[in-house]
Amino acid sequence: MHRWKGDRMRRRTLSLLVASLALAGCSNTLSGVSGPLRLSGSAGQGSGKLDHLAILLPLSGPDAARGQAMLKAAQLALDVPGSPRLEPIDTHGTPNGAAQAAQAAVAGGAYMILGPFSAAETGAAAGPARQAGIPVLAFTSSPAQAQPGIWVMGLTPDQQVERLVQAARAQGKTHIAALLPNTELGSAMGRALVQFAPDATVRHYSGGMEAMNATVRDLSGYASRRGPLEQKIREAKKNGDRKLAAELSRNSVPPPPFDALLLADVGTRLAEIGSLLPYYDINTPTVRIMGPALWSSERARAGSGDTLNGAWYAAPDQATRTDYVQRYQTKYGSAPLALQDLAYDAASIARVIASEGSVSADSLTRPAGFAGVDGVLVLHPDGKVSRGLALYEIESGSPKMIEPAPQTLNSTGS
């Protein structure tokens, strides 16, 4: 009976967290915090009040392998004396399973939930967690799932686009356009671009090569750029001035009405887009091509040839993973996947919170944020997460970091 009363009081205290997050500002009331709190090597010793941590993963079903991999990373982060107990709960990779897993975490007395994996699972788990006032560090990359008490830990389109827009503007690229597929990623990148560059021109396309071709032609204003030159060539030929006609035909077509272009395709679709850009005289370096962090994969760039030379994408700095990768290899005998970094950092944050003895808006949303294996990240009261990303440029078919990730972020990030 006494234990039940204690649990009720603890949950009542935790339920205040969501309300406080909705009202929280960005001021930091934690004294002595001047920079991101380093998660690597942070002590695990705490008061013992927060000793039960739940992680929601697809431990069975089609995504079981990824779920088990994420669990390994989280367990490694908690392989520190004094860390809280980690309870893995299977979501079976379904929204209904995620909702049931969240209810089990609540019933078990978890002070924080890590995961679940997908956007649909996160949406299903959010209800039980918020009702109980238990914060969630979800592994999804969908910005739509962010809300007070539910943080989106994945690398989001917003984070990438914000970094790219900043870099483009720093190089004097002020007229930005986007050529995006009608997919979830394309839509999210389009919304992000409008958010960070309100004057941007955004075009979406569906269907095959014909629709793509028409969209590129329209976006680039090709008819109005090429038309006057073609008219002059026709007039020269009509007047019998073949020399002038030949000279005019060698003239360059004026550049398109933008100096930076955001794409979101990968693989075959990216190669198809790439074949259309030079055809419509959308050329680098006049136009800076930018795209998603998915371009870090050689497979995603396959078939694009020289089209992406000089293109940018934003992603975490791989150098910050070095110590973590070594620890993981020592324990498990193989290198971790980039996706596993989310579970490691989320578990590390949960460990740090446990060592502080209580869950509060200040501890989770400290303006300086945390320094994790993928760089600095700041959790905001609305569930969004800002990340310090490096800038990469593709040169001769391979990515090269041209700007390192920032070591600190201001408190008003995305």
Side-chain angles (χ1 to χ4, degrees), residues 34-55:
S34 58
L37 178 61
R38 294 188 62 82
L39 297 176
S40 178
S42 297
Q45 298 293 340
S47 63
K49 296 179 181 178
L50 304 179
D51 60 357
H52 179 199
L53 175 65
I55 184 167

Side-chain angles (χ1 to χ4, degrees), residues 40 66 70 81 99-100 162 177 182 224 242 245 278-279 303 305 337 372 377 414:
S40 178
R66 286 199 290 183
M70 299 290 274
Q100 293 178 356
E162 181 179 20
N182 268 322
S224 61
R242 295 183 176 275
Y279 182 82
L337 301 173
L377 67 160
S414 61

Side-chain angles (χ1 to χ4, degrees), residues 283-318:
N283 302 310
T284 57
T286 304
V287 177
R288 177 68 66 183
I289 305 300
M290 306 182 297
L294 293 172
W295 287 0
S296 62
S297 165
E298 185 175 354
R299 183 177 179 181
R301 305 190 309 271
S304 297
D306 296 333
T307 304
L308 292 184
N309 279 342
W312 287 349
Y313 66 85
D317 184 345
Q318 295 300 300

